[in-house]
């Protein structure tokens, strides 16, 4: 992961007990880190990263902006807390449960992560900016690692397998989230937007042949709605990756 602008690789709200800040005399009553973090997630969902500010958050909580600094040192700390809070929404399978197939557990994790990225479109840039060492993020990473290890890959291939699956999910979920956000701004449904977009592209000179080929492929894929098309592509791509892991194990 890359570091935040102006922050060293060692900077994190989770280091040196900083995540437990608060509880000092003179701090504002009725306010705590839990409440601030929850409000931050709501505000980020509503306004995105560009609309998020300490002043806007303070107004949401009906406190002064300065009172927030009793609980965090910087805006970056607050964003890092909000990022980790989203990972708490993930339902994690038990990787030690050998009655459950590792393939199904991996599909469950990948599908849940995709949904998280779509639900919180601001998550993906923050996941690439911070260290992701909060308790919820670490719990997710630990389960992913243990599930993939159950596939039977050699130890040196486990991190590559995790990268193949979850960097795909990260990219897919990020693009899907941006696509749905763009649609929401138009006031159209996803299907209406798709139809308008396809019609508009058909009118651009030089695109007819390429678009006709794309239409043939989309027809072969199937799916009557945008949601169905997105789900079919995601499922097929994920199956390809899992089949690749199985093939690597079979090769020894």
């Amino acid at each position: 992961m890359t570091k935040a602008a102006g922050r060293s690789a060692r900077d994190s709200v989770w280091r040196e007990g900083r995540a437990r800040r608060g509880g000092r005399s003179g701090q504002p009553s009725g306010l705590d880190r839990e409440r601030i973090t929850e409000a931050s997630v709501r505000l980020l969902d509503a306004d995105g990263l560009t609309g998020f500010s300490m002043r806007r958050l303070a107004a949401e909580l009906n406190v002064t902006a300065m009172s927030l600094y009793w609980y965090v040192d910087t805006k970056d700390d607050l964003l890092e807390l909000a990022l980790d809070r989203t990972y708490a929404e993930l339902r994690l399978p038990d990787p030690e449960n050998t009655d459950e197939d590792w393939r199904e557990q991996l599909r469950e994790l990948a599908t849940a992560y995709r949904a998280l990225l779509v639900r919180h479109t601001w998550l993906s840039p923050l996941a690439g900016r911070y260290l992701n060492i909060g308790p919820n993020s670490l719990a997710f990473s630990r389960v992913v690692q243990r599930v993939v290890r159950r596939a039977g890959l050699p130890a040196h291939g486990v991190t590559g397998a995790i990268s193949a699956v979850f960097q795909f999910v990260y990219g897919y979920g990020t693009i899907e989230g941006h696509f749905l956000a763009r649609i929401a701004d138009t006031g159209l449904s996803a299907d209406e937007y798709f139809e308008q977009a396809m019609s508009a592209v058909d009118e651009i000179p030089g695109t007819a042949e390429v678009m006709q080929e794309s239409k043939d492929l989309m027809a072969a894929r199937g799916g009557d709605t945008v949601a169905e098309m997105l789900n079919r592509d995601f499922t097929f791509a994920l199956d390809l990756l899992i089949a690749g892991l199985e093939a690597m194990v079979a090769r020894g």
Side-chain angles (χ1 to χ4, degrees):
M1 299 297 180
T2 56
K3 66 179 182 179
R7 287 160 67 92
S8 77
R10 294 178 59 82
D11 285 333
S12 172
V13 71
W14 302 108
R15 291 188 66 249
E16 299 173 357
R18 292 174 62 210
R20 296 185 296 275
R21 188 178 180 190
R24 298 180 298 171
S25 61
Q27 70 187 48
S29 60
L31 204 60
D32 56 40
R33 256 195 174 170
E34 290 293 313
R35 185 182 169 202
I36 293 171
T37 302
E38 289 170 2
S40 297
V41 172
R42 290 197 305 271
L43 194 59
L44 286 161
D45 285 342
D47 299 339
L49 280 171
T50 56
F52 183 81
S53 68
M54 299 295 270
R55 187 178 298 277
R56 176 75 179 84
L57 177 62
E60 179 78 8
L61 291 166
N62 197 29
V63 298
T64 65
M66 287 303 300
S67 65
L68 298 176
Y69 291 102
W70 285 92
Y71 302 91
V72 292
D73 290 331
T74 66
K75 177 181 171 181
D76 277 310
D77 287 350
L78 194 48
L79 290 174
E80 196 175 4
L81 289 168
L83 169 65
D84 191 67
R85 175 57 58 85
T86 65
Y87 285 96
E89 300 172 20
L90 295 170
R91 177 187 175 277
L92 303 179
D94 179 5
E96 308 306 321
N97 184 359
T98 55
D99 291 334
E100 294 187 14
D101 191 291
W102 68 267
R103 300 163 189 81
E104 293 308 312
Q105 289 189 329
L106 188 57
R107 287 188 180 95
E108 181 182 343
L109 287 164
T111 300
Y113 187 43
R114 170 199 172 193
L116 191 73
L117 289 161
V118 172
R119 190 160 60 247
H120 305 295
T121 55
W122 50 272
L123 188 157
S124 58
L126 294 189
R129 184 184 302 175
Y130 299 110
L131 293 176
N132 291 258
I133 57 173
N136 297 309
S137 176
L138 288 178
F140 174 64
S141 297
R142 184 177 296 113
V143 170
V144 166
Q145 178 177 296
R146 290 178 177 175
V147 168
V148 173
R149 286 180 71 96
R150 285 180 55 202
L153 291 163
H156 69 264
V158 170
T159 56
I162 292 171
S163 295
V165 174
F166 286 93
Q167 288 188 26
F168 151 69
V169 178
Y170 176 90
Y172 197 98
T174 297
I175 293 172
E176 182 181 3
H178 291 172
F179 174 63
L180 295 178
R182 187 189 317 147
I183 292 170
D185 289 341
T186 69
L188 300 172
S189 70
D191 298 324
E192 291 169 338
Y193 181 90
F194 179 74
E195 289 297 326
Q196 284 195 12
M198 293 298 290
S199 297
V201 171
D202 279 340
E203 296 170 2
I204 301 174
T207 64
E209 183 178 347
V210 174
M211 290 309 300
Q212 185 57 51
E213 183 177 343
S214 297
K215 288 178 181 178
D216 291 344
L217 292 173
M218 287 188 287
R221 169 186 57 192
D224 295 327
T225 67
V226 169
E228 289 175 351
M229 288 187 283
L230 289 170
N231 288 336
R232 283 175 186 249
D233 283 348
F234 179 82
T235 300
F236 189 80
L238 184 57
D239 284 345
L240 282 177
L241 290 167
I242 292 174
L245 300 189
E246 293 174 317
M248 292 299 290
V249 171
R251 286 173 55 182

